[in-house]
Amino acid sequence: MNISKSQGFTRTERLLAAFSERTFLNLWTYPNVFKDDGHELCDLLAVFENHVFIFFDRENKLSLSPDKEPLVLWQRWKRNVIDRQVRTAHGAERYIRSRRPIFLDSKNEVPFPLSFDLDKIVVHKIIVAHGAKEACQRFSGDNVYGSLGIRYCTNVEESPVPFVVDIDKNSPVHIFDSHNLPVVLGELDTVYDLTEYLDAKLAAISALDHLLYCGEEDLLAHYLLNVDRRTGQHFIGTADPKINYVMIGEGEWLDFSRTEMYRRTKRENEVSYLWDDLIQRTCKNALNGTLMGNSDVFRGQSAILEMAKEPRFFRRALAEQILRSIENFPENLGRLARSVSFMPSFYKTKGYVFFQLKADQATRMKPDYREKRQAMLEIACAAAKNNFPHLTSVIGIAIDAPKYVEENSEDFLLLPCRIWTRETRAHYEAQNEGLDFFRSPSRREWRTKITEFVRHDSVHQPATSPRKLGRNDPCSCGSGKKFKKCCGG
């Protein structure tokens, strides 16, 4: 089925859609969805598993006038651009929780394609308010970016200070603006990273009597620099239970974004978007109705869903390992050759198998070529489970060895293996005879220390050597044989 979705009706909605597709990826992002009465539900709905993100986008130019009180102009703008959208956002959540249907069009002809468990959903309501940036900067020279100040509290009143928004801490919504929408969705550009931030923010809002910050970007900087050394988790505020009021000052993001650590991390993260590209291509095929295979990527578990759960810093490591495996694929081999690598996930019980197959053009043109490549990928994934028993799921990625082809295709496989009987193990051990995937007694696994921020000039290196693999070297699949007698045979 070909799914046609909106790209946004206005300039700012299209901007929101572009940033959201980068964070949530295109399969899980839907601008301009509708209720069953034909009215728009929200400007953008993103759903990933049981996390539901409701976005409302409004633009209205706020111009300060020398003959009018700034506070009056501000309050009028805020009522139109923010307060109304907050009420609408709460209404949208009630609509979703009422189990009424959602559609991609106003005629109610195209149902919303993703499924989620309404008994388990977590709803994040986000208002994006455009038009006050210049007025903010004119009003206060200390406002670095023209961002809106936000205060979460219980006694919500009209703030006596322009450009500060009071939000009820018992019914929280998130307020972004023209400056910090690109910052937040640009920095937290995976579902994991954004969800972790919003969850930490809600935890702080719940724990504190007041949370006040000068701009969402400043709160983000505070969050990124605030790490619990025991758990390794970012948090907002302080661990001291006696403190019930936290204020984040102006300029936190400015200072953080100028650090060498930040610039180095952004530079090293560039490679990680290879991982995103792998997912996006498959998502595009699903939306176009051209995706082959038996996985329902819209309504069930799938390999690409598992891949999309990885945080940004771990995608960096996974992408580097893929590129290294491609570079290390031996040259000057015969008509058929293969290479397999194991890569751990951010999640301890999940792992990846990256499989490359070299075949001549005549073999690749055979009708059953993809089927055979997929069968070998399944055996390799099962061999990884047999070799690493702690795994509860293995995701396989298979491609033709890029050194030998100009165009490529990908196969993805999700092998759930939480339940793994002796009969299943024996079945795949028999299937692995002659292939010998991951049969080395040393159980060689890719190990490296992966950090979120790159603090030094040298980035992490895997335990395995990055040099090119020769025909007489031990095979990278871990069989213990020479490459020419194993995957290169």
Side-chain angles (χ1 to χ4, degrees):
M1 179 178 63
N2 184 3
I3 296 176
S4 177
K5 57 181 181 177
S6 171
Q7 296 302 310
F9 295 144
T10 68
R11 177 189 65 86
T12 55
E13 286 180 6
R14 289 190 290 272
L15 180 69
L16 172 62
F19 277 107
S20 296
E21 283 210 352
R22 183 177 178 181
T23 295
F24 305 106
L25 305 179
N26 52 17
L27 185 68
W28 299 283
T29 306
Y30 295 86
N32 309 115
V33 297
F34 293 85
K35 298 183 289 185
D36 56 13
D37 60 4
H39 291 95
E40 193 174 69
L41 174 66
C42 60
D43 293 312
L44 187 141
L45 182 65
V47 175
F48 191 89
E49 289 194 309
N50 293 320
H51 281 275
V52 177
F53 303 82
I54 310 173
F55 286 87
F56 286 86
D57 179 278
R58 288 295 180 272
E59 181 178 30
N60 188 9
K61 182 74 172 179
L62 173 58
S63 299
L64 298 183
S65 174
D67 59 341
K68 293 185 179 180
E69 183 66 32
L71 182 60
V72 174
L73 295 173
W74 154 252
Q75 290 176 343
R76 183 183 304 157
W77 182 90
K78 173 178 167 291
R79 284 194 295 271
N80 290 329
V81 177
I82 296 179
D83 295 347
R84 288 182 180 177
Q85 307 315 312
V86 169
R87 292 192 295 271
T88 306
H90 291 315
E93 179 181 8
R94 289 193 296 272
Y95 180 92
I96 292 172
R97 291 188 182 278
S98 72
R99 302 177 186 272
R100 291 168 66 183
I102 304 170
F103 298 90
L104 299 187
D105 65 319
S106 60
K107 296 180 180 179
N108 296 166
E109 295 175 345
V110 184
F112 187 71
L114 300 177
S115 63
F116 46 88
D117 188 341
L118 284 164
D119 295 325
K120 297 180 180 179
I121 61 170
V122 178
V123 178
H124 306 275
K125 293 160 288 189
I126 303 170
I127 312 299
V128 186
H130 300 278
K133 179 177 180 178
E134 294 178 3
C136 287
Q137 291 176 314
R138 282 188 58 190
F139 181 77
S140 173
D142 293 331
N143 195 321
V144 178
Y145 296 116
S147 299
L148 298 173
I150 307 294
R151 183 176 68 159
Y152 290 93
C153 53
T154 51
N155 299 318
V156 177
E157 301 175 353
E158 281 284 4
S159 173
V161 181
F163 310 110
V164 176
V165 183
D166 278 4
I167 301 293
D168 184 357
K169 70 184 293 290
N170 296 314
S171 300
V173 299
H174 307 282
I175 310 293
F176 299 164
D177 56 43
S178 297
H179 171 72
N180 53 49
L181 170 69
V183 173
V184 175
L185 293 189
E187 299 300 322
L188 306 173
D189 59 352
T190 73
V191 176
Y192 174 89
D193 293 314
L194 179 61
T195 302
E196 286 290 296
Y197 170 69
L198 295 180
D199 286 348
K201 183 179 172 183
L202 292 176
I205 292 169
S206 176
L208 299 168
D209 291 339
H210 291 79
L211 174 64
L212 172 63
Y213 50 90
C214 296
E216 193 76 28
E217 69 278 8
D218 294 320
L219 184 68
L220 175 60
H222 165 82
Y223 164 83
L224 292 174
L225 291 169
N226 217 19
V227 182
D228 185 329
R229 293 187 178 183
R230 180 179 58 86
T231 64
Q233 297 292 309
H234 296 280
F235 67 99
I236 292 172
T238 172
D240 189 344
K242 297 178 181 179
I243 296 177
N244 62 3
Y245 190 115
V246 169
M247 176 179 176
I248 310 299
E250 182 76 45
E252 291 285 325
W253 176 257
L254 179 65
D255 293 341
F256 173 67
S257 63
R258 288 176 172 176
T259 63
E260 182 59 29
M261 179 186 70
Y262 171 79
R263 289 195 290 264
R264 186 180 294 118
T265 301
K266 293 292 286 185
R267 185 170 61 247
E268 297 297 336
N269 276 348
E270 289 178 5
V271 69
S272 70
Y273 294 97
L274 166 68
W275 192 258
D276 298 49
D277 291 342
L278 280 172
I279 304 171
Q280 289 282 53
R281 285 200 297 272
T282 303
C283 292
K284 184 178 179 180
N285 291 336
L287 292 167
N288 292 340
T290 59
L291 184 65
M292 297 184 294
N294 59 3
S295 175
D296 186 350
V297 297
F298 293 100
R299 298 183 178 276
Q301 294 296 113
S302 67
I304 60 170
L305 179 76
E306 294 300 318
M307 292 172 66
K309 292 179 183 180
E310 301 291 342
R312 175 59 56 200
F313 80 98
F314 224 88
R315 295 186 192 193
R316 179 208 314 152
L318 290 164
E320 286 177 345
Q321 180 64 7
I322 285 177
L323 292 176
R324 187 170 292 110
S325 297
I326 291 172
E327 176 64 24
N328 287 349
F329 196 97
E331 300 177 3
N332 302 319
L333 295 172
R335 186 172 59 88
L336 289 171
R338 56 190 171 83
S339 174
V340 63
S341 304
F342 178 80
M343 305 181 296
S345 166
F346 172 75
Y347 303 92
K348 303 302 183 185
T349 60
K350 185 165 75 176
Y352 294 94
V353 168
F354 180 59
F355 178 73
Q356 299 176 78
L357 182 61
K358 178 201 173 185
D360 59 22
Q361 186 175 6
T363 302
R364 295 198 307 273
M365 294 300 292
K366 291 181 178 179
D368 62 347
Y369 171 71
R370 289 285 294 273
E371 182 180 342
K372 289 181 176 179
R373 191 175 74 178
Q374 292 162 6
M376 294 178 73
L377 177 63
E378 179 181 346
I379 296 169
C381 290
K385 165 63 178 179
N386 283 344
N387 208 18
F388 309 119
H390 69 282
L391 298 176
T392 59
S393 62
V394 180
I395 295 88
I397 306 169
I399 63 172
D400 293 328
K403 282 187 177 181
Y404 298 96
V405 294
E406 295 182 359
E407 297 182 357
N408 218 318
S409 61
E410 301 91 20
D411 290 320
F412 298 95
L413 182 145
L414 171 61
L415 181 68
C417 48
R418 185 179 299 275
I419 299 174
W420 198 251
T421 65
R422 278 186 285 185
E423 291 77 12
T424 304
R425 179 184 181 89
H427 168 75
Y428 281 111
E429 284 181 343
Q431 293 286 309
N432 199 24
E433 288 296 331
L435 295 173
D436 296 328
F437 293 133
F438 304 116
R439 280 205 164 156
S440 170
S442 63
R443 295 185 177 183
R444 291 174 56 197
E445 182 176 350
W446 174 58
R447 294 184 178 89
T448 183
K449 183 179 180 182
I450 305 168
T451 59
E452 181 175 4
F453 293 112
V454 182
R455 300 176 182 274
H456 307 290
D457 290 332
S458 59
V459 298
H460 62 272
Q461 294 292 334
T464 54
S465 172
R467 68 180 180 84
K468 292 185 177 181
L469 195 65
R471 289 175 57 81
N472 292 311
D473 288 330
C475 188
S476 61
C477 75
S479 67
K481 300 178 181 180
K482 292 182 179 180
F483 183 81
K484 66 182 181 182
K485 296 291 187 181
C486 186
C487 291

